[in-house]
Amino acid sequence: MKKMKNLLAPLLAVPLILAGCQEESSKEKTQEKKDKVHIVTSFYPRYEFTKNVAGDLAEVDLLIPSSIEPHDWEPTPKDIGNIQQADLFVYDSEYMETWVPDMASSLDSDTILVKASEGISLMDGQEEHEHEHEGEEGEHEESSHEEGEEHEHHHEKDPHVWLSPVLAQKEVMNITNALIEKDPDNEKTYRKNSDDYISQLKELDQQFKNTLSDVPNKEIITQHAAFGYLADEYGLEQVAIAGLSPENEPSPAKLGELKEFAKEHEISTIFFEETASPKVAQTLADEIGADTEVLNTLEGLSEEDQKNGADYISIMNNNLEKLKNALEK
């Protein structure tokens, strides 16, 4: 019996040793995660830009689910808590994440807020409601100021700078500088990662220049006024059906103007966004016998798309191909 116990003792010890190793490995991983810079990013482009700069040196989280339109998203107390626990919070601007100023004033932590569009001159934005019923008198005129106050806090400026590959480079640099300030010991790695990614963005910019410089048509009609910076960069003219919010709907008079514009410029494609209803774009397309096509704003990218290799570069190349096809008809 004693001999049997002696034989069993080493065997019984194996599970205990394995359990101890697993526990130690788990502790090491937890400590490694704690040692990394923790970054929360608002919506998809901020997430991708930050991931490319940070590499394996930071834990980068996406705050706004890719299935949700970020323009009018509001954080829950749990979301605010996640931001407060982060070292850095990367967002676009107060004109996109309109809730950030209020959150910042009440933030009870040392979280560094990184405005990715810092230093970029933003275009003026104009919502569709500002054009509706122009010239009407009476009761509407008296109440228009009050209604305007209700809406104008959202988009005084156009926030969609990331849709210009040139301005995207500036956003990446802002993120890079913030990371280096927080974690100067890893500056060399952050700069290398940043330079590598910016090289890809420069190549993307050159592809846009080469492709769009010779197209015979320069006018595009979009459902959502999201492509102003892209159009400005590459010599195009964006005419939006609605304003900066994809949920806005145009007045009948505005639709009439767009119909005439489309006919005059022989526009054959009406663009809408992947996260918005195509109803208004389809209505205009039906009126003029045009096609509809998705032009991706990258405000959200599903996990499935990301697993399939989709990213900012590939989506923007896809946008370029669609613009080329529409402007060469």
Side-chain angles (χ1 to χ4, degrees):
M1 187 70 180
K2 185 176 180 182
K3 186 176 181 181
M4 180 65 71
K5 285 181 178 180
N6 289 337
L7 290 172
L8 287 174
L11 295 174
L12 293 171
V14 169
L16 296 174
I17 293 169
L18 290 174
C21 290
Q22 289 173 349
E23 184 179 347
E24 187 63 30
S25 175
S26 177
K27 285 180 180 178
E28 287 176 3
K29 286 180 180 178
T30 301
Q31 186 59 46
E32 183 182 340
K33 190 172 181 180
K34 284 181 180 178
D35 290 342
K36 288 184 176 182
V37 177
H38 179 207
I39 308 169
V40 172
T41 62
S42 57
F43 63 104
Y44 179 73
R46 313 286 83 67
Y47 174 76
E48 179 174 330
F49 296 169
T50 304
K51 283 281 287 182
N52 274 278
V53 175
D56 297 328
L57 295 175
E59 290 291 330
V60 184
D61 296 329
L62 178 64
L63 184 66
I64 303 175
S66 291
S67 58
I68 296 177
E69 163 57 52
H71 281 80
D72 298 314
W73 181 88
E74 294 284 343
T76 64
K78 181 180 178 181
D79 295 321
I80 300 296
N82 289 338
I83 292 171
Q84 288 192 141
Q85 291 172 16
D87 296 303
L88 301 174
F89 171 60
V90 182
Y91 68 105
D92 180 75
S93 72
E94 66 273 24
Y95 302 107
M96 187 70 183
E97 300 92 334
T98 56
W99 44 271
V100 166
D102 286 342
M103 179 206 70
S105 64
S106 60
L107 204 61
D108 184 23
S109 73
D110 295 326
T111 303
I112 299 170
L113 302 189
V114 183
K115 180 177 173 179
S117 62
E118 189 68 50
I120 296 174
S121 180
L122 300 184
M123 294 178 173
D124 288 333
Q126 206 168 35
E127 294 285 18
E128 174 58 28
H129 71 266
E130 293 172 1
H131 297 285
E132 291 179 6
H133 314 297
E134 246 178 31
E136 288 186 13
E137 298 177 356
E139 185 178 338
H140 173 79
E141 187 176 343
E142 291 173 5
S143 62
S144 61
H145 177 71
E146 183 180 340
E147 291 175 359
E149 286 180 349
E150 194 175 306
H151 297 282
E152 69 181 2
H153 71 282
H154 274 295
H155 296 298
E156 294 90 346
K157 297 287 184 180
D158 181 353
H160 301 89
V161 294
W162 66 89
L163 289 168
S164 159
V166 173
L167 298 181
Q169 295 170 45
K170 294 184 179 180
E171 292 205 298
V172 171
M173 279 307 307
N174 284 338
I175 293 167
T176 303
N177 292 336
L179 255 173
I180 291 169
E181 183 179 347
K182 177 62 184 177
D183 183 21
D185 290 345
N186 289 304
E187 176 177 358
K188 186 176 179 180
T189 302
Y190 293 139
R191 290 217 182 273
K192 183 184 183 306
N193 292 345
S194 180
D195 289 345
D196 289 346
Y197 189 59
I198 286 176
S199 292
Q200 295 180 55
L201 294 176
K202 286 181 177 178
E203 184 179 337
L204 178 67
D205 168 47
Q206 194 59 52
Q207 289 170 342
F208 267 82
K209 286 175 180 173
N210 294 344
T211 302
L212 298 178
S213 61
D214 295 329
V215 291
N217 304 310
K218 299 292 185 180
E219 298 82 14
I220 58 172
I221 292 182
T222 61
Q223 179 165 307
H224 171 198
F227 298 92
Y229 295 99
L230 184 148
D232 185 63
E233 190 66 49
Y234 302 110
L236 305 181
E237 179 185 356
Q238 172 192 241
V239 177
I241 297 173
L244 288 166
S245 170
E247 301 308 318
N248 284 353
E249 293 196 9
S251 65
K254 175 73 171 179
L255 273 177
E257 290 173 13
L258 289 166
K259 183 178 176 181
E260 291 305 312
F261 180 88
K263 286 181 177 179
E264 180 184 346
H265 294 276
E266 299 181 345
I267 288 175
S268 59
T269 304
I270 307 298
F271 292 106
F272 67 97
E273 294 70 52
E274 70 290 342
T275 56
S277 167
K279 181 179 69 173
V280 178
Q282 191 64 59
T283 297
L284 179 58
D286 291 343
E287 293 249 351
I288 63 173
D291 298 323
T292 58
E293 184 62 87
V294 170
L295 206 57
N296 199 318
T297 60
L298 282 145
E299 289 171 8
L301 193 62
S302 70
E303 288 185 12
E304 183 178 352
D305 285 340
Q306 292 179 57
K307 285 177 183 176
N308 291 333
D311 57 16
Y312 177 88
I313 302 288
S314 67
I315 295 293
M316 288 297 289
N317 272 314
N318 192 37
N319 281 345
L320 176 58
E321 186 65 25
K322 290 178 179 180
L323 285 169
K324 177 179 179 288
N325 292 339
L327 295 172
E328 286 184 340
K329 286 183 181 178

